[in-house]
Amino acid sequence: MGHFLSLFFFAFLQSFFLVNGNNDNLTHPPLVPINRDLYHSSGDLMEMINGLVHRHPDKLTMETIKSINKGYQAEISVITYCRGRKDNDDSSKFRILLSFGQHGRELISTELAFRILSILSEEQFLPNVDSASLNSTLDKLVIKIVPMENLNGRKIVEAGDLCERRNGRGVDLNRNWSVDWGKKEKDYDPYEENPGTGPFSEPETQIMRKLAISFDPHVWVNVHSGMEALFMPYDHRNTTPDGVSSHQMKLLLEEVKRLHCQNRCMTGSGGGSVGYLAHGTATDYMYDIIRVPMAFTFEIYGDGAASSKDCFKMFNPTDLTTFNRVLNDWSAAFFTIFKLGPQQLGEVHSKVYVPNRDTEESIDEYLNGYLMQRSSRHGKKMEVLDVGLQEMRTYFRLFLLSSVLLLFMFCSRIAKSKSSRSVLPAMPL
């Protein structure tokens, strides 16, 4: 009888765990993998972009910039759009710099880069857009597009780590810039926000800074996914900047929202709208240090109902209809930026354009060579000053910490010395 009861109890436990296991599977469905029918691999995407450049040499050029730091190497491809390739006339044109794929898991952003390049090369077309008007707008522009800023991180995602946003050695490239670098909020997550060992410690960020300084754009847009939003500075504060430039950015974002977001998009400062502050971001650096008049971060898609572990679904459309809607809506939004940006800023100020060259250099070579020779458009060594201030802050913190430790040791020594002395009786008078 006892043996029978034992067998019955064992069978009951097996049934219990089996049922609960099945319920758990129903509650937590399997994670969505990359949809290979919709999304190109990083290699295929860059090959297709290279094909566009090869077929349209009158409009597109491509360069690859390399950098290495402590054995970690990165390279970034930059595609320049300029009708007629009138390189000697670039300084009189309105300049726009766009970056996609800064976080590896956000595949939809790199697909948008390819769609925009296809439209610029006239292999695809925007619906309901007059081609003569579009060509008139594009004649006045030089556009540089970085279709995949974080190639090393993207390869990690393609290998199966669908939640990876950092670069090939675990640094978040959108926390590695120098404006308010290294500050950590109470909910800081090193997996999500590791800022690196110092400002510009990463080759990818070094390359992007060099590109921004030499190109000196009027408009910068950093393209991400995770929600639908149109953000302007600041990310490290919950306020927007003061002044005319801030007002112009707000007007432009409101118009883009009205025309292309169907009022779905959140607008305002990144720090004031998204619910948390981000320190060391590219957009804050572009606005504060490079002095880009219009600096934005666009978030082009997000599935708020997806599990936080289901990263491909959270950051990327998984069906063809949504995929096409996102690319169509945001392609049109960028061409609105191309048209309205120059109008909002008015007269284009004369700026010197310095074309990039393919280069491979260490961070030390960059800081000691190229960086020391560059000046801001105001004639000030803003880069050198910025890095110098970061170094001074670091040394000052170390000095304060050392001083506190020395003071503590000194006080402890005095207290110990006093307690060890023998107490002598008082002498009578």
Side-chain angles (χ1 to χ4, degrees), residues 258-315:
R258 184 184 69 83
L259 292 173
H260 304 291
C261 278
Q262 292 78 46
N263 290 319
R264 293 190 308 269
C265 296
M266 188 183 303
T267 58
S269 71
S273 303
V274 76
Y276 62 88
L277 301 181
H279 308 276
T281 67
T283 294
D284 282 359
Y285 183 87
M286 294 293 176
Y287 186 77
D288 264 2
I289 306 301
I290 305 294
R291 306 295 186 190
V292 178
M294 290 187 168
F296 303 116
T297 300
F298 286 0
E299 299 272 354
I300 63 173
Y301 174 80
D303 184 348
S307 163
S308 60
K309 296 180 181 179
D310 199 357
C311 291
F312 180 74
K313 185 179 181 183
M314 177 180 288
F315 293 95

Side-chain angles (χ1 to χ4, degrees), residues 398-411:
L398 291 173
F399 171 75
L400 286 179
L401 179 60
S402 301
S403 299
V404 171
L405 288 173
L406 287 172
L407 183 60
F408 175 77
M409 292 170 63
F410 180 72
C411 292

Side-chain angles (χ1 to χ4, degrees), residues 375-392:
S375 299
S376 73
R377 73 186 66 179
H378 305 292
K380 298 178 181 178
K381 297 291 180 65
M382 293 298 295
E383 282 289 295
V384 178
L385 177 61
D386 182 63
V387 174
L389 287 174
Q390 291 292 336
E391 293 287 336
M392 289 174 64

Side-chain angles (χ1 to χ4, degrees), residues 206-323:
Q206 172 193 349
I207 293 169
M208 290 303 299
R209 175 178 57 177
K210 180 175 181 178
L211 175 62
I213 294 172
S214 63
F215 187 48
D216 198 18
H218 298 89
V219 174
W220 152 266
V221 186
N222 193 9
V223 184
H224 287 270
S225 62
M227 62 177 66
E228 290 185 277
L230 302 163
F231 291 141
M232 58 184 285
Y234 288 105
D235 296 325
H236 70 286
R237 304 176 191 168
N238 60 4
T239 59
T240 57
D242 297 322
V244 175
S245 180
S246 179
H247 179 66
Q248 292 170 328
M249 284 190 284
K250 289 176 183 177
L251 289 178
L252 183 57
L253 292 186
E254 287 299 328
E255 187 66 7
V256 171
K257 179 179 179 179
R258 184 184 69 83
L259 292 173
H260 304 291
C261 278
Q262 292 78 46
N263 290 319
R264 293 190 308 269
C265 296
M266 188 183 303
T267 58
S269 71
S273 303
V274 76
Y276 62 88
L277 301 181
H279 308 276
T281 67
T283 294
D284 282 359
Y285 183 87
M286 294 293 176
Y287 186 77
D288 264 2
I289 306 301
I290 305 294
R291 306 295 186 190
V292 178
M294 290 187 168
F296 303 116
T297 300
F298 286 0
E299 299 272 354
I300 63 173
Y301 174 80
D303 184 348
S307 163
S308 60
K309 296 180 181 179
D310 199 357
C311 291
F312 180 74
K313 185 179 181 183
M314 177 180 288
F315 293 95
N316 307 280
T318 57
D319 63 273
L320 180 61
T321 300
T322 309
F323 179 85

Side-chain angles (χ1 to χ4, degrees), residues 115-126 331 335:
R115 175 65 65 87
I116 291 172
L117 286 168
S118 298
I119 296 170
L120 288 172
S121 62
E122 299 182 65
E123 291 195 4
Q124 296 189 44
F125 298 92
L126 286 170
S331 295
F335 280 84

Side-chain angles (χ1 to χ4, degrees), residues 321-355:
T321 300
T322 309
F323 179 85
N324 285 331
R325 176 188 65 76
V326 171
L327 295 187
N328 291 336
D329 287 352
W330 285 96
S331 295
F334 272 96
F335 280 84
T336 295
I337 295 283
F338 299 161
K339 180 179 180 180
L340 297 184
Q343 296 177 10
Q344 287 285 359
L345 284 179
E347 180 183 355
V348 176
H349 301 287
S350 177
K351 303 173 185 177
V352 177
Y353 171 71
V354 182

Side-chain angles (χ1 to χ4, degrees), residues 339-373:
K339 180 179 180 180
L340 297 184
Q343 296 177 10
Q344 287 285 359
L345 284 179
E347 180 183 355
V348 176
H349 301 287
S350 177
K351 303 173 185 177
V352 177
Y353 171 71
V354 182
N356 264 317
R357 297 288 182 262
D358 288 359
T359 179
E360 183 170 355
E361 59 192 349
S362 70
I363 187 70
D364 293 330
E365 289 171 336
Y366 176 55
L367 290 172
N368 294 331
Y370 173 85
L371 179 58
M372 296 300 293
Q373 298 171 11

